[in-house]
Amino acid sequence: MCFSAEASFAAAAVLLPAGLASSYIAFRTDRRYLGICALPFLFGIQQLFEGLVWTSGSASDLAAVQRFTLAYMFFSWLAWPVWVPSAIFFLEPGHRKPLYLGFTVLGAVLGGGQYLPYFVHEDWMSVTFLPHAISYGGIMLFDFLVARELTVVIYFTAVILPLLLASRPEVRIFGLLVAFVFLVTNLFFRFAYISVFCFGGALMSLYLLAMIWWKAREPGTDTATNVTDGPVAEKSAG
């Protein structure tokens, strides 16, 4: 697999319309899936920013590299740990919602602590252009508190564990795909794990379009579902 500006822009060109399509289908069929079905579109934006990091590096425009890297890292460190568990929150029954609220808070603390210091300490973030990947490195706030490996474990807990623990099997399948990417990245691409993991996760998010498309084809699924937990739902079900 080759990583380059062309690869990032090509991924964005596929993911952006796929994300719009999956979001539209979710809106028409079951709006509780909107959050998770928007992931391909958000991944597409992130890949677009990484393509701009590549082209800025090729032009030796260090200021642009800094700007686009900050935009890219917003998704890596802040958006994914918050968006993923909060998206699943709307899919879970009432008694499981506090668990996903906890995951969301954990993601916000981790993501905010890792991302926001870059605006104060610009020298903390480093970008190294390798032949077929970008290595995002430098200093992280939690490096002063815990080992970097523990930060990775917390990130896994905030982003991937909510998918694996979801009550809906179709969401757990996506979690397994992302966990596979995470495992491969840490085994073979640790030199550029942020870039590779996000690229792989972006490609895996195309599954979500297939997931919601098949769900829309289920018998009796014609219009947007507005399901409420509790007595009202039970009454209508009866």
Side-chain angles (χ1 to χ4, degrees), residues 18-60:
L20 288 175
S22 60
S23 298
Y24 175 77
I25 297 171
F27 182 82
R28 295 283 299 176
T29 56
D30 191 335
R31 294 176 187 175
R32 295 171 300 175
Y33 283 85
L34 262 174
I36 194 165
C37 286
L39 280 175
F41 183 80
L42 297 177
F43 269 119
I45 296 175
Q46 186 186 31
Q47 289 303 308
L48 180 62
F49 280 128
E50 184 157 50
L52 293 172
V53 173
W54 275 110
T55 56
S56 299
S58 298
S60 299

Side-chain angles (χ1 to χ4, degrees), residues 18 53 97 119 180 237:
V53 173
K97 289 185 184 297
F119 289 95
F180 173 75

